């Protein structure tokens, strides 16, 4: 007999990989374009004021199905080019992985990328739209020999009314004359759809408000504000309607509209009332500042007091309203009186350096009464003389407080509002104050510059409370600096005695110096703390000189904010854990980058890349859900299993299919392959149903259509445990691996041997 013992059987593991490329599913990633729409022709049915979302192509290019037979014995299966016992449906294990589409085109990512490219442009608005459009007719062809003829011709010199609006309208007429309708970056239909405030107001603000707190983290603008909507419109104009030329054209029209609203006293809508919000972007602050100027100019022209307020700790809105009604008539009479004396309107005065003037009679009266008060209210004679003045600018009594010396009720005065400031103005002011240095003279000058509002309030207080002293003002303005304590007088009664705090008694105290300088002048006759005319012109000039790149820089936080809101809104419908994590990272990263002016381009690109990544994940999730028919699933438990399976495909490189080909997910994958095979072989469903017999018979039939295509790859692992190198050696595991594809064949072995006694 043969001395060799029989070898144990070889254990075989086989894995066949099938690739599905032609999905043949009824899933279109975007809404088809509306060709007949005014701004139609865009994929996704986009509207002005809304950002697009989703992929323009299928974000999942291939599905790889791996059917595995982990334990087979040699000699029991047949697998060759003609016949195979390896039916994927009967495989005990299935695993699936998806291949992402390369260079996926997503709408939101494209919008952000193209808008960010504007930040790197160098051209000004005039260079983009053309300087020649502003030149008058015939200037470019005028003969230089007649250059001096105008000096000798006795022609009258027309003096036109100086108005920026007239100049702008004249420039627009020349633009339209030189540039045809077809040459405009934005045609009239598009411009009339989005043009300026009246149309921007029709844009519906986003329904999703959960992330509105992130306005201040992004240093953006409120989602229902004009700035926010302007950013979205410019983003769409840049992508669909003319690029940088369209942006320059729309911005030019916007600036003209802002100028018109300033001159016509029309408030800019969709902006919060009050001073500029320093937590928002600078452009939003500028528009708020312009609105403050318009509001005050409008109220001044109508004879009201836009610059008056009650800054007392105990002031109430009800008392304020009564005070306005009570003093409004006197103020209107005063205004009419000044108009009659000067012979000019308030609008004409608004162009001068000083808005408010003291009447001559009032000045002489003040000089005659000797209104130079001493420290702590001056002498008793001065108090008596000032007490004879008629009180002006009273708002309402301050509770039960009375003046210390005359004993009359203490009245809260009508005061000017402090000047609103934008962050760039605050920065300029800080630089000026810092340049004054640390010397005593510089510190004194710095304190005087910062006490303009204090001086104004002191003058208003003196006008409202004749005969008052510094202690009276401190009791209203800064109660903590007036210390009261109970003492026993000569008669043995307990009385309250008060005095100024220690900081108020410091020599050369700015409060004392300001009080000595202040004259009893009501707020309506004081020089304005806030010159709305000058500030409005500064804002309008700032807007006019903005290049498209500067504009894009200003509005980029708003666009990023809108993109994050859009991603969050879409993620809420899908509930994807990885996207939620990315959104938190975007908010954290953006709050650090956008908080400071002029952030680095590289960091901005990282934020945009994160947004694009989240959009691609959501697009893949929707694609897979559509392919697996989750929405059409009737059984709730089966639907939950499919949703978990799709989420695993998004998170993991390869996912096992529960139940293999007999489970819910396996059945759907089988149908996907079957549909692809039918289309590939041009076999109709009716012909397929006519076929009878088992799957083996159909595979033997030459004309039959198999459920799966030929495997794209075959992997085999042969395992055996035998003694090596001698028959009496210790049995050790031996392994051989083979992979076969159309273009590749690899063979790898791992062999072990007993080294004892060898």
């Amino acid at each position: 007999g043969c001395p060799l013992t029989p070898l144990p059987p070889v254990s075989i593991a086989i894995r066949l990989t099938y690739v599905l490329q032609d999905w043949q599913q009824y899933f279109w990633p975007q809404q088809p374009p509306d060709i007949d729409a005014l701004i139609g022709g865009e994929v996704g049915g986009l509207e002005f004021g809304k950002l697009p979302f989703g992929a323009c192509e299928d974000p999942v290019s291939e599905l790889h199905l791996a059917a595995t037979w982990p334990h087979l014995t040699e000699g029991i299966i047949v697998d060759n080019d003609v016949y195979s016992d390896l039916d994927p449906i009967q495989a005990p294990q299935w695993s699936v992985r998806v291949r992402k589409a390369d260079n996926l085109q997503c709408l939101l990512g494209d919008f952000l990328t193209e808008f960010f490219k504007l930040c790197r442009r160098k051209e000004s608005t005039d260079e983009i739209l053309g300087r020649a459009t502003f030149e008058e007719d015939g200037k470019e062809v005028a003969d230089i020999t007649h250059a001096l003829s105008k000096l000798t011709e006795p022609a009258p010199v027309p003096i036109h009314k100086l108005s920026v609006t007239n100049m702008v309208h004249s420039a627009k007429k020349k633009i339209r004359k030189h540039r045809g309708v077809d040459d405009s970056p934005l045609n009239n239909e598009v411009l009339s759809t989005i043009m300026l405030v009246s149309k921007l107001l029709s844009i519906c603000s986003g329904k999703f408000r959960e992330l509105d707190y992130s306005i201040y983290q992004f240093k953006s603008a409120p989602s229902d504000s004009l700035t926010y909507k302007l950013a979205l419109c410019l983003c769409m104009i840049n992508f669909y309607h003319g690029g940088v030329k369209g942006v320059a054209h729309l911005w030019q029209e916007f600036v003209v509209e802002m100028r018109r609203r300033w001159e016509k006293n029309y408030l800019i809508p969709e902006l919060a009332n009050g001073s500029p919000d320093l937590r928002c972007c600078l452009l939003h602050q500028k528009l708020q500042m312009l609105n403050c100027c318009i509001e005050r100019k409008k109220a001044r022209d109508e004879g009201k007091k836009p610059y008056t307020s009650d800054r007392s700790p105990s002031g109430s809105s009800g008392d304020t309203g009564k005070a306005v009604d009570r003093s409004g008539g006197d103020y209107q009479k005063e205004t009419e009186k000044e108009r009659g004396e000067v012979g000019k309107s308030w609008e004409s005065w608004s162009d001068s350096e000083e808005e408010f003037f003291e009447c001559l009679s009032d000045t002489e009266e003040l000089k005659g009464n000797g209104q130079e008060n001493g420290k702590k209210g001056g002498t008793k004679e001065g108090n008596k003389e000032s007490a004879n003045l008629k009180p002006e600018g009273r708002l309402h009594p301050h509770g039960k407080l009375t003046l210390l010396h005359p004993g009359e009720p203490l009245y809260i005065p009508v005061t000017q509002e402090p000047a609103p400031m934008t962050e760039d103005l605050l920065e300029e002011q800080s630089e000026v104050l810092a340049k004054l240095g640390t010397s005593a003279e510089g510190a004194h000058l710095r304190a005087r510059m910062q006490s303009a509002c204090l001086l104004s309030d002191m003058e208003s207080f003196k006008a409202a409370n004749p005969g008052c002293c510094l202690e009276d003002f401190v009791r209203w303005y800064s109660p903590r600096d007036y210390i009261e304590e109970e003492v026993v007088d000569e008669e043995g009664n307990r009385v309250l005695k008060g005095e100024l705090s220690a900081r108020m008694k410091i020599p050369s105290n700015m409060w004392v110096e300001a009080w000595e300088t202040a004259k009893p002048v009501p707020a309506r006759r004081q020089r304005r703390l806030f010159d709305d005319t000058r500030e409005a012109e500064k804002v309008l000039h700032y807007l006019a000189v903005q290049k498209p790149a500067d504009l894009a820089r200003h509005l980029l936080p708003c666009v990023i904010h809108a993109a994050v809101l859009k991603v969050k809104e879409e993620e809420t419908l899908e509930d994807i854990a990885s996207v939620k994590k990315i959104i938190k990272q975007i908010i954290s990263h953006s709050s650090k980058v956008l908080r400071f002016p002029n952030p680095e381009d590289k960091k901005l690109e990282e934020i945009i890349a994160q947004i694009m990544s989240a959009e691609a994940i959501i697009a893949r999730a929707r694609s897979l859900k559509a392919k697996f028919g989750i929405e059409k699933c009737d059984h709730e438990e089966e639907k939950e299993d499919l949703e978990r399976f799709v989420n695993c495909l998004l998170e993991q490189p390869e996912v096992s299919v529960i139940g293999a080909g007999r489970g819910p997910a396996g059945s759907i994958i089988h149908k996907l392959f079957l549909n692809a095979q039918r289309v590939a072989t041009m076999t109709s469903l009716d012909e397929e149903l006519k076929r009878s017999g088992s799957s083996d018979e159909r595979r033997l039939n030459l004309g039959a259509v198999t459920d799966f295509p030929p495997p794209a790859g075959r992997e085999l692992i042969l395992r055996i445990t035998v003694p090596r190198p001698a028959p009496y050696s210790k049995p050790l595991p031996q392994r051989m691996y083979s992979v076969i594809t159309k273009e590749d064949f690899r063979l790898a072995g791992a062999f072990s041997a007993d080294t004892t006694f060898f």
Side-chain angles (χ1 to χ4, degrees):
C2 182
L4 296 178
T5 58
L7 295 177
V10 178
S11 176
I12 304 175
I14 301 178
R15 174 177 169 131
L16 303 182
T17 301
Y18 301 90
V19 177
L20 177 63
Q21 294 177 327
D22 189 1
W23 295 98
Q24 293 302 321
Q25 40 79 27
Y26 304 97
F27 170 69
W28 173 249
Q30 292 295 333
Q31 180 181 346
D34 185 3
I35 306 301
D36 298 328
L38 175 64
I39 58 172
E42 296 88 15
V43 175
L46 187 60
E47 300 176 9
F48 276 109
K50 296 182 181 180
L51 287 177
F53 191 86
C56 295
E57 55 185 328
D58 198 332
V60 179
S61 60
E62 294 179 354
L63 184 142
H64 294 192
L65 169 64
T68 305
W69 292 263
H71 303 290
L72 294 176
T73 306
E74 60 175 331
I76 66 171
I77 61 168
V78 177
D79 182 31
N80 52 44
D81 294 339
V82 179
Y83 175 82
S84 176
D85 288 325
L86 301 176
D87 186 0
I89 298 295
Q90 305 300 326
Q93 294 181 6
W94 273 18
S95 60
V96 175
R97 58 182 180 271
V98 293
R99 180 179 176 183
K100 307 172 186 177
D102 298 330
N103 301 322
L104 181 63
Q105 181 184 3
C106 292
L107 293 176
L108 181 60
D110 290 347
F111 262 56
L112 292 177
T113 304
E114 291 299 321
F115 192 78
F116 180 66
K117 290 180 180 178
L118 278 181
C119 301
R120 298 173 176 172
R121 301 295 293 260
K122 303 296 183 182
E123 305 93 335
S124 65
T125 303
D126 291 342
E127 292 172 346
I128 293 172
L129 298 180
R131 296 178 182 274
T133 56
F134 292 95
E135 297 179 359
E136 295 184 3
D137 294 338
K139 277 195 172 183
E140 56 274 2
V141 295
D143 190 355
I144 194 172
T145 58
H146 302 287
L148 301 178
S149 62
K150 294 292 182 181
L151 298 177
T152 58
E153 294 178 359
V157 180
I159 302 178
H160 301 285
K161 181 180 178 181
L162 182 60
S163 172
V164 179
T165 301
N166 292 341
M167 292 188 291
V168 172
H169 289 328
S170 175
K172 289 180 66 178
K173 289 180 181 178
K174 293 171 185 175
I175 289 174
R176 290 164 183 156
K177 185 184 297 183
H178 285 268
R179 184 175 60 197
V181 177
D182 298 334
D183 298 332
S184 299
L186 298 179
N187 58 52
N188 293 333
E189 289 79 5
V190 174
L191 197 59
S192 63
T193 303
I194 62 168
M195 185 52 203
L196 304 175
V197 179
S198 59
K199 293 300 180 184
L200 289 173
L201 291 180
S202 63
I203 299 172
C204 299
S205 58
K207 297 180 181 179
F208 190 79
R209 298 300 181 94
E210 183 179 336
L211 279 182
D212 276 358
Y213 71 90
S214 62
I215 295 170
Y216 310 122
Q217 289 180 291
F218 287 101
K219 202 170 178 61
S220 172
S223 57
D224 56 351
S225 66
L226 177 64
T227 311
Y228 184 91
K229 298 171 183 177
L230 175 65
L232 298 186
C233 283
L234 287 175
C235 193
M236 184 174 184
I237 290 296
N238 176 62
F239 196 81
Y240 282 130
H241 301 282
V244 65
K245 287 188 176 181
V247 171
H249 186 189
L250 179 59
W251 179 244
Q252 183 187 62
E253 298 286 347
F254 184 86
V255 174
V256 170
E257 174 67 11
M258 294 300 102
R259 167 70 65 178
R260 186 184 71 87
R261 286 185 169 272
W262 158 247
E263 295 192 348
K264 300 296 183 181
N265 289 348
Y266 297 153
L267 288 174
I268 305 172
E270 299 297 299
L271 292 177
N273 297 328
S275 300
D277 191 346
L278 301 181
R279 297 172 296 180
C280 298
C281 64
L282 181 59
L283 185 62
H284 186 75
Q285 296 178 39
K286 291 293 184 181
L287 295 179
Q288 283 185 306
M289 173 69 84
L290 183 58
N291 230 14
C292 291
C293 299
I294 295 173
E295 184 178 1
R296 299 196 183 191
K297 177 173 176 283
K298 179 181 179 181
R300 186 175 68 252
D301 292 346
E302 293 175 355
K304 297 181 181 179
K305 299 192 297 295
Y307 42 83
T308 59
S309 67
D310 176 15
R311 288 201 293 271
S312 77
S314 60
S316 62
S317 58
D319 295 335
T320 304
K322 293 178 182 178
V324 172
D325 294 339
R326 189 162 55 242
S327 59
D330 296 338
Y331 176 71
Q332 190 169 2
K333 292 178 182 178
E334 183 73 24
T335 304
E336 293 175 354
K337 178 181 177 182
E338 291 180 359
R339 286 183 178 178
E341 291 177 356
V342 180
K344 295 183 179 181
S345 65
W346 278 103
E347 186 176 0
S348 63
W349 282 118
S350 65
D351 293 330
S352 62
E353 182 180 357
E354 294 188 7
E355 177 71 21
F356 294 89
F357 298 84
E358 294 179 0
C359 297
L360 181 61
S361 58
D362 292 340
T363 306
E364 292 175 352
E365 183 181 357
L366 294 176
K367 291 180 180 178
N369 290 333
Q371 292 299 316
E372 295 294 333
N373 295 335
K375 185 177 182 180
K376 296 185 180 179
T379 61
K380 295 182 179 179
E381 294 179 358
N383 287 336
K384 290 181 180 179
E385 292 177 358
S386 61
N388 295 330
L389 290 176
K390 180 181 178 181
E392 296 180 273
R394 287 180 170 179
L395 195 60
H396 57 78
H398 188 4
K400 297 181 180 180
L401 287 182
T402 58
L403 300 178
L404 294 178
H405 297 300
E408 296 181 358
L410 188 151
Y411 281 87
I412 295 175
V414 175
T415 57
Q416 293 193 60
E417 285 279 4
M421 303 280 281
T422 57
E423 62 182 26
D424 59 334
L425 295 179
L426 288 173
E427 186 177 354
E428 291 177 7
Q429 187 183 58
S430 300
E431 292 178 358
V432 171
L433 295 177
K435 289 180 180 178
L436 295 177
T438 57
S439 62
E441 183 181 357
H444 183 74
L445 182 58
R446 181 163 48 248
R448 290 184 62 86
M449 292 176 61
Q450 293 175 322
S451 63
C453 185
L454 176 65
L455 180 62
S456 171
D457 293 341
M458 285 182 171
E459 292 183 341
S460 300
F461 188 84
K462 281 188 174 182
N465 299 279
C468 61
C469 59
L470 178 60
E471 286 85 347
D472 295 322
F473 177 77
V474 172
R475 290 163 66 203
W476 163 65
Y477 204 83
S478 180
R480 293 184 179 181
D481 286 310
Y482 189 77
I483 304 172
E484 291 183 333
E485 57 181 355
E486 282 191 357
V487 296
V488 181
D489 60 4
E490 297 176 355
E491 300 177 359
N493 299 324
R494 291 183 175 273
V495 295
L496 286 176
K497 183 179 180 182
E499 61 178 355
L500 295 176
S501 63
R503 78 183 185 103
M504 289 293 178
K505 296 179 181 179
I506 298 175
S508 302
N509 187 349
M510 181 53 60
W511 285 61
V512 176
E513 292 185 5
W515 182 260
E516 294 174 353
T517 307
K519 298 178 180 180
V521 181
R524 66 175 180 267
R525 292 208 306 270
Q526 295 175 7
R527 178 179 177 179
R528 285 184 295 174
L529 294 176
F530 177 63
D531 190 344
D532 53 76
T533 304
R534 182 172 65 248
E535 294 301 326
E537 291 297 337
K538 288 168 64 176
V539 171
L540 291 171
H541 174 73
Y542 180 86
L543 298 179
V545 299
Q546 293 298 303
K547 298 179 181 179
D550 301 329
L551 181 62
R553 287 276 182 183
H554 284 307
L555 295 178
L556 188 60
C558 296
V559 176
I560 292 178
H561 175 212
V564 174
L565 288 178
K566 185 66 176 179
V567 171
K568 180 61 180 177
E569 180 181 359
E570 300 293 336
E571 185 276 331
T572 306
L573 304 175
E574 308 299 334
D575 192 18
I576 306 172
S578 60
V579 177
K580 292 180 180 179
K581 183 178 179 181
I582 293 176
I583 291 176
K584 291 181 180 179
Q585 294 175 351
I586 294 173
I587 295 176
S588 176
H589 193 188
S590 301
S591 62
K592 298 175 183 177
V593 174
L594 300 177
R595 188 180 303 167
F596 304 100
N598 301 321
E600 298 180 8
D601 288 355
K602 183 179 180 181
K603 295 182 178 179
L604 293 174
E605 290 174 351
E606 292 175 356
I607 295 175
I608 294 175
Q610 288 179 312
I611 296 175
M612 295 171 64
S613 174
E615 182 186 18
I617 293 176
I618 295 176
R620 282 195 292 270
R622 291 180 174 174
S623 175
L624 291 173
K625 287 183 178 180
K627 291 174 173 59
F628 284 89
I630 294 179
E631 298 300 330
K632 300 177 181 179
C633 187
D634 298 331
H635 302 287
E636 190 66 27
E637 184 177 354
E638 183 178 338
K639 183 177 181 180
E640 293 178 358
D641 292 340
L642 290 176
E643 287 181 347
R644 281 194 296 267
F645 177 73
V646 169
N647 290 334
C648 290
L649 282 177
L650 296 172
E651 306 288 341
Q652 303 173 13
E654 186 168 341
V655 181
S656 298
V657 181
I658 300 177
R662 295 168 295 278
S667 301
I668 295 175
I669 295 173
H670 181 202
K671 292 179 182 178
L672 291 174
F673 275 97
L674 183 59
N675 292 335
Q677 285 297 101
R678 286 172 179 165
V679 174
T681 56
M682 301 301 292
T683 304
S684 65
L685 180 61
D686 294 337
E687 295 177 352
E688 182 66 21
L689 293 176
K690 291 178 181 178
R691 293 193 176 93
S692 60
S694 63
S695 59
D696 294 337
E697 294 176 347
R698 284 189 281 119
R699 276 194 298 272
L700 289 173
N701 189 355
L702 295 178
V705 178
T706 58
D707 295 351
F708 291 87
R714 297 169 181 265
E715 297 172 87
L716 292 90
I717 299 177
L718 306 179
R719 297 185 181 93
I720 190 172
T721 302
V722 295
R724 286 187 68 243
Y728 50 83
S729 299
K730 183 179 179 180
L732 296 174
Q734 316 296 325
R735 182 180 184 274
M736 181 178 290
Y737 171 77
S738 173
V739 58
I740 305 172
T741 63
K742 291 183 178 180
E743 298 85 11
D744 192 16
F745 169 74
R746 283 178 291 164
L747 187 65
F751 309 104
S752 55
D754 186 7
T755 58
T756 306
F757 306 117
F758 291 96

